[in-house]
Amino acid sequence: MLPIIYHPIYSNFPLPEGHRYPLQKYQLLKTHIDNEKWPVQTFEPEPLNSDTLKSIHDHDYVNALISGELPLVKMRRIGFPWSPNLIHRSLTSLGGTTLTVDKAIKHGVAIHLTGGYHHAHHDFGSGFCLFNDLILAAEHALSYPQIEKVMIVDCDVHQGDGTATLAKHRADIVTLSVHCEKNFPSRKPESDIDLPMPIGTDSHSYLREFLPCLTLALAQHEPDMVIYDAGVDIHVDDELGYFSVCQSGIAQRDQAVFSACYDHQIPVAAVIGGGYRTEQEALVPLHAELVLSALRTYYPHSGI
Ligand SMILES: [Zn+2]
């Protein structure tokens, strides 16, 4: 059974009417997976202890954000109004990405039905990201004796600026970001490997560039663990992405990442990442491709 990490709080924190964040997609995706009766086993995470955040984030930033004392201008940069539930949701989702690492190390693969907060920096958050779950999860993976190097493969359409900065001086965390060259964030600090692509990139061009880049990156860096941000905001109809990738392109991308990790016997913890549509139901089949690709690769006898 494929390990899936999910908590109902992912779709439950207060947002103003018409807010851009697709709050319901997490719950809609989980319901879809349940209805399809795919062979998955769901695990509910516990909130991450806030002291753990201080291993990568500034102490004052962590304390101010958790207690609701972060200046309004800094909350605006994050893009959410502060609430106790926002903090509880955030800590639970951070616990979720760490739990996804644990399950991936045990089973080879695991999927988190949220995560990918790659715009969270050392002492500030931005773009709907409070704390950087990808780096926290990488740190957690490195606490295992058999994991000496983690590669973060970030395929969200937006560049992983917070991740790049937080991993800048670390030889044990390799960052790869494939993104739109003209999109948020405007300032793009260097990842170990950046693969910027132009506005309008279609499935064919995307895969032609990304697949050899992934192969080379794995061969060069030989990571013991991959954390995969499978953002679907590369889709042609996404409201915050400017690519023209179709659903089949997303499926081929996810399949390629899982196949490569499977072939190299590298455990892979995947998070669903970004995906923005006013009609949030439309995101469900796109994110579901991640689950389907994992089932096809790791559970071929499931008949999926
Ligand atoms: Zn994104």
Side-chain angles (χ1 to χ4, degrees), residues 118-119 156-158 233 274-276:
H118 56 175
H119 302 309
D156 190 283
V157 79
H158 304 100
D233 42 14
Y276 303 91

Side-chain angles (χ1 to χ4, degrees), residues 162-198:
T163 311
T165 310
L166 285 165
K168 190 172 178 182
H169 298 297
R170 301 201 48 164
D172 52 359
I173 304 178
V174 180
T175 55
L176 189 172
S177 178
V178 193
H179 52 267
C180 181
E181 64 188 6
K182 288 204 175 75
N183 200 332
F184 182 89
S186 54
R187 196 182 145 265
K188 297 177 178 58
E190 273 182 25
S191 316
D192 292 301
I193 307 158
D194 278 301
L195 184 56
M197 296 192 202

Side-chain angles (χ1 to χ4, degrees), residues 101 112 129 148 165 170 195 198 206 209-210 256 263 297:
V101 162
H112 191 201
C129 303
E148 293 180 358
T165 310
R170 301 201 48 164
L195 184 56
Y206 185 93
E209 297 286 325
F210 171 59
D263 290 347
T297 311

